Amino acid sequence: MKSNSALLIVGHGSTVNPDSSTPTFAHADEIVRQGVFNEVHCVFWKEEPSLRQALHLIDSDEIYVVPNFISEGYFTRTVIPRELELTGPITHRLGRTIKYCDPAGSHQRMTDLLLRRAAEVAPGVPPSETTLFIVGHGTNLNDNSAVAAKREVQLIAERGLYAEVLNAYMEEEPLISKWDELASQKNVVVVPFFISDGLHSYQDIPVLLGIESEITAAASQRGIFRNNPYRLRGKTLYYASSIGTEPLFANVILDQVAAFDQLHREDAE
Amino acid sequence: MGQIVIQQSAPGFELRHFEDAGRNDLALYSNPVEARAISTYSDAGEFRPLKTAPTLRHGWRLQLPDLESLRTALDFFYPAMLGSLLSHERNELLPVDLRETLGRQSGMYAVTKKITDPQADALIETVCNSAHGCLKTILWQIAPDRPVTSLPAEKFNPAVSQIPAALPVLPMLCAEACNLLVAAAREVVKKVPVAE
């Protein structure tokens, strides 16, 4: 219990897609429900409340900041520390202590979450006859998320459950649009390595997969999510929603707080 | 606050759009978290990334039992605005001039440093005006010696309501240019042809 502390979850947000911030708010609601913190708030880079407004939202003197990002990178290393005026893992400012945790997506539990999501989306389909794709964005700007996606693929492959585990990207090789050529198995499960069902995972990737012929409206503005499975290009395709929408992600955020405490307790000893 | 009228309603408070004052056909909500959904889209169904835009939808009322739930609801309707006002009253809300905000941008927004003062002034009029842009009261300047001149003096006065209604007001204070203005500044800089 951290009944004297605040949790601040930082999301990217979007000025055009209302679904971008939805999982961040959902995880905050779940953590509020668990009653772990005195207060729980979300702030965003592209929406309100902004990072710059964060401290005016919070009454508590101890604040844990967890980036709801899929990996370490430009936002977690440059933008968030700059906008929150952090000086390191622990910042003392105006009588407050701000503890800056690792991003949710870099926690070791992510591997289990990806496997869980893959199993959920294709019930009854034997993994031993399935190719599993973990799809990232894949440009130089998002290099760190590509590295993180590769690491997850390796960890999942090491467990030996799936016949094949592959990385694919939207904008660089191996391209997800060639999923049918890349996959050796007749069953194909695709899990987007993204925080929300925003532009990329809900609107762009379905077109690249061939399950939509053109960009659709945002997820929240359509009645249904997906009609799995898709019989396409001679294979059976199952497309999951983004890993960041997994309800257990709330627990991963809490795990990052615990990991921070453990690390800095060891430092103090 | 903003476009919302807050009324005492035993045992707590009732919130509604100020233009819905006389209506009795409003959808009733009682959970403060509903404020998030109410404030996500405008009447026209458009997404509202800027919650202080003058586009709050009509047709609802929100009954809240106590001050705590009122604070929660207001933080969803107008994020951080109550806290910013309280910080302002403690002299802890420190305005940051636009040049300083742009000066610390990196990545795709680093280019915003190139915006000229007259371009910034014109952009602020378009993005921040209370009629169509944003209902916050601006506390910052373009630079320490360069105020914003494109908007009326009332836009910078916390004592003046930013909506066309004679109601006592909890001002929504803007201590620093938001990301929407920074993003718009990038568009201005990118579109301007190189001077010959």
Side-chain angles (χ1 to χ4, degrees):
Chain A
M1 289 288 283
K2 296 201 169 285
S3 48
N4 294 316
S5 307
L7 173 65
L8 183 68
I9 308 175
V10 182
H12 188 282
S14 164
T15 55
V16 292
N17 192 314
D19 301 321
S20 174
S21 54
T22 303
T24 304
F25 280 125
H27 304 325
D29 290 348
E30 169 58 22
I31 294 167
V32 168
R33 198 192 60 74
Q34 293 184 20
V36 181
F37 283 88
N38 180 36
E39 27 175 349
V40 181
H41 298 282
C42 302
V43 293
F44 301 94
W45 172 235
K46 303 285 282 183
E47 288 176 46
E48 291 189 308
S50 72
L51 284 154
R52 300 293 289 173
Q53 295 170 325
L55 294 191
H56 302 298
L57 273 171
I58 296 170
D59 294 325
S60 307
D61 289 336
E62 184 179 62
I63 305 165
Y64 287 85
V65 178
V66 180
N68 191 29
F69 281 70
I70 206 72
S71 67
E72 287 282 2
Y74 173 62
F75 281 98
T76 62
R77 289 180 188 149
T78 303
V79 176
I80 295 171
R82 182 188 75 211
E83 298 292 296
L84 290 178
E85 298 177 38
L86 305 181
T87 54
I90 299 176
T91 302
H92 298 283
R93 203 164 120 227
L94 300 170
R96 290 167 146 180
T97 303
I98 306 171
K99 300 183 172 183
Y100 189 42
C101 308
D102 286 338
S106 68
H107 195 273
Q108 59 190 18
R109 264 229 283 182
M110 282 292 284
T111 314
D112 288 329
L113 259 58
L114 288 163
L115 280 167
R116 180 189 161 95
R117 179 125 290 193
E120 268 175 1
V121 75
V125 178
S128 57
E129 296 166 19
T130 302
T131 297
L132 172 61
F133 281 101
I134 306 298
V135 190
H137 190 283
T139 62
N140 291 336
L141 261 181
N142 289 278
D143 212 24
N144 288 291
S145 65
V147 170
K150 273 184 197 140
R151 185 186 63 227
E152 293 300 338
V153 162
Q154 192 183 344
L155 290 168
I156 293 169
E158 281 168 9
R159 297 200 189 185
L161 292 166
Y162 281 83
E164 191 174 40
V165 191
L166 300 173
N167 280 108
Y169 303 98
M170 291 171 59
E171 295 183 356
E172 68 184 47
E173 295 281 355
L175 289 164
I176 188 59
S177 55
K178 297 181 186 167
W179 62 274
D180 52 316
E181 297 168 33
L182 298 167
S184 66
Q185 303 296 305
K186 66 178 196 286
N187 301 310
V188 176
V189 171
V190 177
V191 181
F193 198 62
F194 290 89
I195 277 297
S196 72
D197 284 320
L199 290 174
H200 299 317
S201 73
Y202 193 81
Q203 295 172 297
D204 296 336
I205 295 174
V207 176
L208 298 172
L209 291 171
I211 62 180
E212 300 283 358
S213 56
E214 57 187 32
I215 302 275
T216 64
S220 60
Q221 287 155 322
R222 301 182 80 203
I224 49 159
F225 190 75
R226 294 288 168 216
N227 285 317
N228 285 313
Y230 296 86
R231 315 241 178 244
L232 213 60
R233 304 181 190 173
K235 294 184 187 284
T236 306
L237 172 69
Y238 300 82
Y239 184 50
S241 52
S242 285
I243 190 60
T245 65
E246 162 65 45
L248 285 175
F249 224 77
N251 292 353
V252 178
I253 291 171
L254 294 176
D255 287 344
Q256 286 298 34
V257 171
F260 182 96
D261 280 345
Q262 174 138 20
L263 180 68
H264 292 275
R265 196 176 301 124
E266 284 166 4
D267 277 358
E269 280 166 5
Chain B
M1 177 177 267
Q3 291 178 294
I4 294 174
V5 178
I6 306 165
Q7 287 179 306
Q8 284 212 316
S9 163
F13 303 89
E14 191 193 276
L15 277 55
R16 59 173 71 189
H17 194 294
F18 81 100
E19 289 169 339
D20 285 343
R23 285 175 63 175
N24 52 17
D25 60 341
L26 302 172
L28 175 65
Y29 299 92
S30 56
N31 184 339
V33 178
E34 302 276 9
R36 187 195 296 153
I38 294 169
S39 61
T40 300
Y41 297 97
S42 69
D43 283 328
E46 285 163 351
F47 177 48
R48 300 175 69 240
L50 180 70
K51 295 289 182 279
T52 48
T55 54
L56 184 67
R57 80 173 163 88
H58 297 78
W60 54 272
R61 62 192 174 99
L62 179 58
Q63 278 189 337
L64 300 167
D66 50 31
L67 268 174
E68 190 185 342
S69 55
L70 175 64
R71 167 100 194 236
T72 302
L74 287 177
D75 270 340
F76 284 128
F77 278 121
Y78 295 126
M81 288 297 100
L82 199 59
S84 295
L85 182 58
L86 295 173
S87 295
H88 181 66
E89 288 175 354
R90 291 193 302 265
N91 293 318
E92 289 175 4
L93 186 68
L94 306 174
V96 177
D97 286 336
L98 180 65
R99 286 289 163 210
E100 192 178 330
T101 304
L102 300 183
R104 68 160 196 273
Q105 299 301 316
S106 57
M108 65 187 283
Y109 298 114
V111 71
T112 58
K113 297 175 186 71
K114 293 183 181 170
I115 198 167
T116 66
D117 286 354
Q119 284 172 341
D121 220 337
L123 182 69
I124 291 161
E125 181 186 20
T126 308
V127 175
C128 308
N129 78 82
S130 294
H132 307 290
C134 176
L135 292 168
K136 291 194 197 86
T137 300
I138 297 177
L139 301 182
W140 43 270
Q141 305 198 125
I142 293 174
D145 54 354
R146 176 63 163 87
V148 179
T149 57
S150 56
L151 289 168
E154 301 82 62
K155 183 67 179 174
F156 308 90
N157 183 352
V160 178
S161 171
Q162 300 298 319
I163 57 165
L167 295 163
V169 62
L170 289 171
M172 303 197 291
L173 303 175
C174 180
E176 180 169 6
C178 65
N179 188 281
L180 286 166
L181 184 64
V182 174
R186 178 176 182 268
E187 295 300 307
V188 170
V189 174
K190 288 267 175 188
K191 269 183 205 155
V192 173
V194 178
E196 294 188 30

